[in-house]
Amino acid sequence: MILTEEQKKGQDVFFRIITEAWVNDDFKKSLITNPEETLEKFFGRKLPIGKKIKVTDQSDPEYLYINIPIKMQQKDQELDEKKLDKLSGGTSNRTSSTTDYEGLYDSLGNMYK
């Protein structure tokens, strides 16, 4: 899967937050109880307006956590001919990918030290 520049930036921000929560218990507690204020302090600027942030601690290895994402609205599901063609395997250049979670966690553990 090829990420856009915006997706790469978002991923980098996400990884920075996770990494800090792993190494800083005070940050983690604050992130869970008051995510907006904590992230504003962490990044030194106001967050984009329009969304609340909900943080859950999913670090207990005894559990398998499942995140249920937002359900798409009908208007979000409408696809034009080009998108339908890509999804159906028409002219798209499809590639399969598997997330290497072990490598991801190793990378996160080594980032921003």
Side-chain angles (χ1 to χ4, degrees), residues 13 16 18 21 29 36-37 57 75 78 82 89 92-93 103-104 108-109:
V13 167
R16 288 178 60 198
I18 292 170
K29 289 174 189 169
E36 289 88 358
E37 182 180 313
D57 183 0
K75 65 180 179 171
E78 295 174 6
K82 195 173 187 177
S92 72
N93 183 12
L104 174 63
L108 284 172

Side-chain angles (χ1 to χ4, degrees), residues 7-97:
Q7 289 169 322
K8 288 177 187 176
K9 288 178 187 175
Q11 191 177 53
D12 182 56
V13 167
F14 183 67
F15 290 167
R16 288 178 60 198
I17 295 166
I18 292 170
T19 301
E20 185 66 21
W22 281 350
V23 298
N24 183 337
D25 286 336
D26 290 336
F27 175 80
K28 180 179 173 180
K29 289 174 189 169
S30 181
L31 185 63
I32 292 168
T33 59
N34 194 346
E36 289 88 358
E37 182 180 313
T38 303
L39 291 174
E40 286 178 357
K41 286 179 184 175
F42 184 67
F43 291 111
R45 61 186 168 103
K46 288 282 191 190
L47 298 175
I49 298 173
K51 297 285 182 180
K52 295 182 214 173
I53 299 173
K54 182 174 185 173
V55 177
T56 57
D57 183 0
Q58 298 183 352
S59 60
D60 186 335
E62 297 287 318
Y63 291 90
L64 171 65
Y65 297 93
I66 298 173
N67 181 45
I68 301 172
I70 189 168
K71 185 176 180 180
M72 290 179 54
Q73 300 299 314
Q74 183 64 34
K75 65 180 179 171
D76 297 333
Q77 295 177 9
E78 295 174 6
L79 299 174
D80 61 26
E81 291 279 332
K82 195 173 187 177
K83 289 179 185 173
L84 283 171
D85 192 39
K86 279 184 114 174
L87 287 174
S88 66
T91 60
S92 72
N93 183 12
R94 295 185 340 183
T95 59
S96 64
S97 64

